[in-house]
Amino acid sequence: MKWKYALGIVMFFLATVNKGFSQPCDTLVTNGGFACDSLGGISEFAQGLVPGWSQAWGSPEVSNAFATPDPTTYAKFWCMNTTSEAIMTPVAITSGNQYVLKFWYQRGFEEVNPVDFLNCHLFNLAGSGLPSPGILIPAGQNIVTITNISSTNWVEATYCFTANANFTDLLIYSQNLDPLSGWIYLDNIRIFPIELDVPDYALDCISPTEIQPNCWLTSDIATYSWTPSTGLSNANIANPILSPTV
């Protein structure tokens, strides 16, 4: 016997610190912890020493000078008076699909000034080229802009978004709009697709079966609603037990 159940998910659009997946999902970002072939250069990104990542503009670096969530290396980049540094990585984003972006960030110790903006942005390098460094929000889709970053403690952020087009690249950059310079540290960047597809379940009507989507989130990030609710142990969790009555 096959039962067809549908799952709806309501996402919370911002969550910080200790938010995670109950079941591991594949991230679309390669080397989100910035493992580096060699440290100590002027710009490890510009030299091609950070697998999966490249310099977008400026001279972004990789460092292991301070403790990190990863726990070894992190990216660091500078900004001042609309001049900034940026990094980018290929990602495969499909129009209309939902995703979760997670990362850690903090203000760097090099300066005491807060950073005005940290932007995570989707674009198509081959189609539209690299955005201009002086534009706050370039063409493409801006996932999030974090403002007035002053804490030197690591903060984990979670942002959910629906892609408004197909995109091939993720761009991350900071900006200060005044003459004061600032630094940003960044670590453990991940993008997960939100999987809503639920397969049909073939049951022998004797053994209860746990059902779940391919990739699911904890209740502090999302709420769940299964329909129909008949035969489910709980229609509002990601992985209820299905015991159909025949």
Side-chain angles (χ1 to χ4, degrees), residues 9 11 13 94 96-100 160-163 192-196:
I9 298 180
M11 302 302 300
F13 276 77
T94 302
N97 286 3
Q98 293 180 302
Y99 299 88
V100 179
C160 305
F161 65 96
T162 300
F192 300 97
I194 300 174
E195 300 288 352
L196 293 177

Side-chain angles (χ1 to χ4, degrees), residues 49-224:
L49 298 176
V50 190
W53 293 84
S54 59
Q55 165 204 38
W57 58 75
S59 302
E61 304 171 35
V62 173
S63 178
N64 61 357
F66 300 103
T68 72
D70 189 51
T72 53
T73 54
Y74 56 92
K76 53 181 287 189
F77 36 96
W78 168 92
C79 58
M80 183 182 72
N81 202 23
T82 72
T83 301
S84 64
E85 297 176 335
I87 57 177
M88 60 184 182
T89 186
V91 291
I93 301 295
T94 302
S95 178
N97 286 3
Q98 293 180 302
Y99 299 88
V100 179
L101 167 68
K102 295 175 69 68
F103 59 94
W104 291 86
Y105 69 94
Q106 72 168 62
R107 177 180 66 79
F109 291 100
E110 290 83 354
E111 302 284 354
V112 298
N113 309 310
V115 172
D116 291 341
F117 302 102
L118 173 64
N119 292 295
C120 298
H121 194 78
L122 295 170
F123 75 109
N124 292 303
L125 179 62
S128 59
L130 190 64
S132 170
I135 299 176
L136 179 59
I137 304 295
Q141 180 175 351
N142 197 59
I143 302 174
V144 62
T145 297
I146 303 175
T147 61
N148 192 30
I149 301 169
S150 58
S151 174
T152 52
N153 295 319
W154 286 101
V155 176
E156 186 181 27
T158 303
Y159 294 90
C160 305
F161 65 96
T162 300
N164 61 24
N166 295 330
F167 295 104
T168 58
D169 301 273
L170 173 67
L171 175 71
I172 303 177
Y173 59 101
S174 59
Q175 284 190 329
N176 266 14
L177 302 183
D178 52 47
L180 301 177
S181 61
W183 285 83
I184 280 288
Y185 298 168
L186 198 67
D187 200 11
N188 204 11
I189 300 170
R190 294 144 288 161
I191 294 181
F192 300 97
I194 300 174
E195 300 288 352
L196 293 177
D197 294 332
V198 180
D200 292 343
Y201 288 89
L203 305 175
D204 60 10
C205 302
I206 298 175
S207 300
T209 299
E210 182 183 67
I211 62 175
Q212 64 186 46
N214 295 330
C215 179
W216 47 281
L217 306 170
T218 53
S219 59
D220 54 354
I221 296 178
T223 60
Y224 294 82

